[in-house]
Amino acid sequence: MQAEARQYFSRELLAWYQRGNRDLPWRKNKDPYRIWVSEIMLQQTRVDTVIPYFERFMANFPTVQALAEAPEDEVLKCWEGLGYYSRARNLQAGAKMVMELYGGIIPDDKESVAVLKGVGPYTTGAIMSIAFNRPEPAVDGNVMRVLSRYFCLEDDIAKPSTRVGIEKLAASLIPEGAAGDFNQALMELGALVCTPKSPSCLPCPVMEHCEARMAGRETELPIKTKAKPPRQEYRLAVIVEGTAEHAGKVLVRQRPNTGLLAQMWELPHLLLDGKHSGMFAESAPKEQGELAEAAIRMLETDAGLLIRPTGWFADADHIFSHIHWRMRVYAADLGVMDGVLAAESGAPYWTGEPAATLEDMPAEERSRYRWIGRDEMDRLPFPNLFLKLLNDYWSRKS
DNA sequence: AAAACGGGGAC
DNA sequence: GTCCCAGTTTT
């Protein structure tokens, strides 16, 4: 590649961006906190999805201090539906670090920014360049795609080592004194022009020296190995309806502090073993009294929760990036299964009076469970899967 | 180096 | 259905 083509790229791309770019809420000013929040939200998430979340988050937590001092549930609630919830917890942990280490001021220093929770190589470069105009590369998926095409790079962008190489290249392209605009220009081009499927080369400001375009290979690049398909997991959930003092409420629980959907709230549920997964997969929802009974016994073993299913409620599929949940949901009440399984229609249905309370659970399990009404749902963070089921439940009730 | 970690939009 | 998105952390 000629030095001239490199200078052309930097010059023309920067000029293109400065002629006009998207009016995004985090471009209103250079407040490092706003840039930081926006960059965390934008990780693996589209601009259009982020915008309303960003506005709401900044309204609720306008400063580093406000975020650092907020209850964790409120921060997660503000992130509800956005996904990758560890981003929200890490962001708040980062805000606390900034309060304690730097007196609430995000420092104009790469190493200090890079150690913040949830801030990796990309976000470090984005904050340093956009907020402080420091000449650091900010290499995301857009940048890897744009540069792979312009320089006809054939390295697999799914490999970690490839990103490191492209960072060096991107750093060498930053025009003097224009790091922030140039890095954003690179991403903006990837988002609007040099798109994954069918890039719009004709309006592209750097088409003239794009090697992939000149070779007619713009749709073949970048090279990226395919992701593994998600594994299937069959799960059984219950909507436990309260009685007496808990009438009109349902039982929810908070997930563990680590792992998938950490610290989010959910309906009680369990992973089915191989045998019961097969039963799930092979028969119709309403013909599975045996499955329901077996699973409810497992729930008792699993969580010490004594319940009686009263009927089928819904089947729900939910696909994460690495797991595909297939979930069957039964309505239930608290009690012991000493009743009789109704033969009518084959639906799981136990008769008799409820005969258990949460007090029957082990204390350490019990502490994560809570009875909530529809109004209280608005204060606890639920992942989308359970949000939909609960909304569905309460709309049917009314 | 590979897997875990959400959810949705575009085709 | 597939791809992948302004990636980071853990294993």
Side-chain angles (χ1 to χ4, degrees):
Chain A
M1 169 73 60
Q2 310 294 333
E4 195 211 319
R6 297 164 50 92
Q7 290 171 19
Y8 163 88
F9 179 84
S10 300
R11 183 181 67 245
E12 295 304 321
L13 184 57
L14 180 61
W16 170 78
Y17 181 78
Q18 291 177 337
R19 277 199 297 275
N21 53 63
R22 287 176 290 179
D23 186 17
L24 303 173
W26 44 90
R27 289 179 177 169
K28 210 169 64 182
N29 60 50
K30 302 285 188 192
D31 176 2
Y33 174 61
R34 290 174 68 86
I35 306 298
W36 179 19
V37 171
S38 72
E39 290 302 340
I40 299 297
M41 285 190 172
L42 286 162
Q43 289 168 4
Q44 299 290 280
T45 311
R46 287 182 158 70
V47 166
D48 289 343
T49 304
V50 166
I51 289 174
Y53 281 91
F54 178 80
E55 305 275 26
R56 188 158 54 104
F57 195 93
M58 294 308 297
N60 285 338
F61 315 110
T63 63
V64 173
Q65 182 175 0
L67 177 58
E69 294 173 351
E72 188 175 46
D73 259 12
E74 281 184 26
V75 179
L76 279 174
K77 187 66 187 177
C78 210
W79 212 271
E80 182 183 80
L82 196 53
Y84 287 139
Y85 299 98
S86 67
R87 291 184 297 174
R89 292 181 291 108
N90 287 337
L91 182 57
Q92 188 180 30
K96 292 180 180 183
M97 288 172 69
V98 169
M99 288 306 294
E100 292 186 9
L101 298 175
Y102 314 125
I105 308 296
I106 297 161
D108 179 2
D109 177 70
K110 183 186 172 188
E111 279 67 38
S112 306
V113 168
V115 297
L116 297 174
K117 291 278 189 213
V119 176
Y122 162 75
T123 306
T124 301
I127 293 172
M128 294 313 296
S129 62
I130 299 171
F132 302 115
N133 207 25
R134 297 290 176 190
E136 298 294 336
V139 174
D140 67 346
N142 287 313
V143 176
M144 290 202 282
R145 183 172 59 254
V146 169
L147 295 182
S148 291
R149 285 175 177 161
Y150 189 80
F151 293 98
C152 219
L153 308 177
E154 308 200 70
D155 306 286
D156 182 355
I157 64 168
K159 293 185 184 302
S161 57
T162 301
R163 200 209 72 238
V164 176
I166 292 184
E167 275 177 348
K168 288 188 168 62
L169 173 58
S172 75
L173 294 168
I174 297 172
E176 183 73 28
D181 279 359
F182 177 74
N183 283 348
Q184 291 184 86
L186 217 33
M187 295 187 274
E188 189 109 333
L189 188 76
L192 300 180
V193 178
C194 197
T195 51
K197 288 292 172 60
S198 49
S200 318
C201 292
L202 293 181
C204 176
V206 296
M207 178 188 75
E208 220 174 296
H209 293 292
C210 176
E211 293 203 5
R213 172 66 180 173
M214 292 188 287
R217 301 184 57 200
E218 68 273 12
T219 57
E220 297 171 24
L221 295 173
I223 308 290
K224 186 178 184 182
T225 56
K226 289 179 187 162
K228 246 177 48 180
R231 68 175 183 273
Q232 292 225 8
E233 284 186 3
Y234 290 88
R235 288 177 176 270
L236 189 140
V238 286
I239 295 187
V240 181
E241 306 182 277
T243 55
E245 72 266 37
H246 303 305
K249 301 192 171 191
V250 303
L251 191 60
V252 297
R253 71 180 177 195
Q254 190 174 26
R255 292 180 60 82
N257 295 335
T258 57
L260 183 67
L261 303 171
Q263 295 174 49
M264 301 289 283
W265 291 75
E266 65 179 4
L267 291 174
H269 65 100
L270 54 80
L271 176 64
L272 295 176
D273 58 22
K275 176 189 169 191
H276 294 95
S277 296
M279 295 172 63
F280 185 150
E282 287 161 23
S283 47
K286 299 183 181 181
E287 297 171 353
Q288 300 192 46
E290 189 190 344
L291 170 60
E293 180 170 11
I296 268 59
R297 300 259 183 236
M298 288 161 62
L299 193 59
E300 178 179 345
T301 306
D302 185 62
L305 192 58
L306 302 171
I307 61 163
R308 310 180 310 172
T310 52
W312 175 82
F313 177 75
D315 276 9
D317 269 38
H318 192 77
I319 301 176
F320 302 96
S321 46
H322 59 305
I323 312 174
H324 180 171
W325 276 5
R326 301 193 56 183
M327 183 170 285
R328 179 145 297 159
V329 187
Y330 288 101
D333 61 23
L334 269 192
V336 289
M337 285 201 311
D338 56 357
V340 179
L341 177 62
E344 192 177 353
S345 83
Y349 195 97
W350 279 262
T351 57
E353 294 303 309
T357 69
L358 282 193
E359 307 307 311
D360 298 320
M361 293 173 69
E364 62 273 21
E365 297 285 351
R366 193 165 64 229
S367 67
R368 300 190 80 89
Y369 284 75
R370 191 180 296 180
W371 293 105
I372 61 161
R374 183 168 211 170
D375 52 329
E376 289 155 293
M377 231 179 76
D378 298 332
R379 289 195 291 276
L380 300 180
F382 291 90
N384 272 13
L385 165 66
F386 295 108
L387 207 53
K388 284 175 185 163
L389 286 167
L390 283 165
N391 281 326
D392 194 14
Y393 172 77
W394 272 306
S395 12
R396 288 196 218 175
K397 282 289 167 184
S398 61

